[in-house]
Amino acid sequence: MTDKNSTSMFDTVVSDFKQLYNFETKDGSVIGPKIKLPKVVYDRIEAFNSEDAIENGWTVYGILQLVLGNASVRDYRWYQASVGTDGKFRPSDEFDEWLEQHYAFGRVLIMLAIIYNNYELEDKENE
C-alpha cells in the first residue's frame, strides 16, 4: 500500500509520536502538545468541540465519539438540540482516509486536541 503523499507509514507513526509526547510545563502547569492537523480533521473537531458542548454536559469522550462519527444517531440529535451544529453526522471520506493513514495514533491526536484545546492547521508548504 502506498501513501498518496509519499510519506511512509513509519514516517507517519514517528511524526504522530513526536506530537503526542511534546508536553511542556509553564509556571507549574502542564501544557498539552500543539497538535497539527489537516483541514478536514481540524474542521471536524471545530464542529463539535466547543464551550457550549461542555456547558451542556458533553464529555471529552462524547465529543470524541461525535468527531469520529461513532456516536449514535440519538446522541448526535441530542447534540444538535442542546448545542446546535453544522457538522455532519458521518465524517467525510477524506477524514476516514486520514484516520486510516494515522491508524496508530490518529484517534489519540484528536483526543489530545479536544482535551487540551491546543491544535492548529498543519503547515501545507511541505506537500
Side-chain angles (χ1 to χ4, degrees):
M1 181 172 150
T2 60
D3 184 10
K4 64 183 176 187
N5 293 326
S6 72
T7 302
S8 73
M9 284 189 209
F10 177 78
D11 291 338
T12 298
V13 169
V14 169
S15 175
D16 289 352
F17 190 81
K18 287 179 181 178
Q19 285 193 86
L20 291 175
Y21 292 99
N22 195 16
F23 284 84
E24 299 174 11
T25 58
K26 183 176 182 179
D27 300 327
S29 297
V30 175
I31 300 170
K34 175 72 80 174
I35 306 297
K36 295 183 180 188
L37 300 164
K39 183 164 177 39
V40 67
V41 179
Y42 179 91
D43 288 347
R44 186 89 182 153
I45 294 170
E46 286 287 296
F48 295 105
N49 187 32
S50 68
E51 286 187 33
D52 286 342
I54 301 299
E55 290 172 6
N56 281 288
W58 282 89
T59 63
V60 169
Y61 180 76
I63 293 169
L64 176 64
Q65 295 306 304
L66 288 164
V67 169
L68 295 174
N70 294 337
S72 68
V73 173
R74 180 178 172 201
D75 285 345
Y76 178 73
R77 288 187 180 140
W78 181 62
Y79 182 89
Q80 283 183 310
S82 64
V83 179
T85 185
D86 292 333
K88 304 226 182 293
F89 176 65
R90 280 289 310 139
S92 67
D93 289 342
E94 189 179 358
F95 179 92
D96 288 340
E97 287 171 14
W98 181 87
L99 270 182
E100 186 176 313
Q101 291 169 356
H102 297 262
Y103 70 95
F105 297 116
R107 288 164 180 78
V108 179
L109 289 170
I110 293 170
M111 180 186 64
L112 288 176
I114 293 168
I115 291 171
Y116 290 102
N117 204 30
N118 194 18
Y119 57 97
E120 64 187 10
L121 287 171
E122 68 185 1
D123 183 14
K124 293 287 188 180
E125 77 181 41
N126 293 331
E127 287 188 9

